[in-house]
Amino acid sequence: MDININWGLIWPIIALQAILAVTGFISLYKAEPASIRGSKWMWVFIILLGNILGSVAYFVAGRREA
């Protein structure tokens, strides 16, 4: 069985996931603990293990209103 992977479609997804994760970690690092729902460590694990959805969840639900 020969599996051909179309890397032209996969690389943009990998790049998007990396950009969202790095942006999420920078935002989380700079944020005051009072401005985050839950603990920072919880969001670190969600961003790491949740792939694209973990980063999006942090930006949508993790930060309190400014």
Side-chain angles (χ1 to χ4, degrees):
M1 180 181 240
D2 186 24
I3 298 174
N4 293 324
I5 298 174
N6 187 351
W7 288 103
L9 296 175
I10 295 176
W11 280 116
I13 295 170
I14 293 171
L16 175 65
Q17 194 270 328
I19 290 167
L20 281 172
V22 169
T23 306
F25 286 132
I26 291 171
S27 173
L28 186 62
Y29 176 75
K30 290 181 177 182
E32 295 293 326
S35 68
I36 298 172
R37 291 184 177 102
S39 71
K40 283 190 174 190
W41 283 108
M42 176 189 73
W43 285 109
V44 166
F45 288 118
I46 290 173
I47 292 170
L48 275 177
L49 301 176
N51 293 326
I52 292 174
L53 294 179
S55 299
V56 171
Y58 168 69
F59 286 114
V60 172
R63 299 187 307 172
R64 296 186 190 270
E65 296 294 323

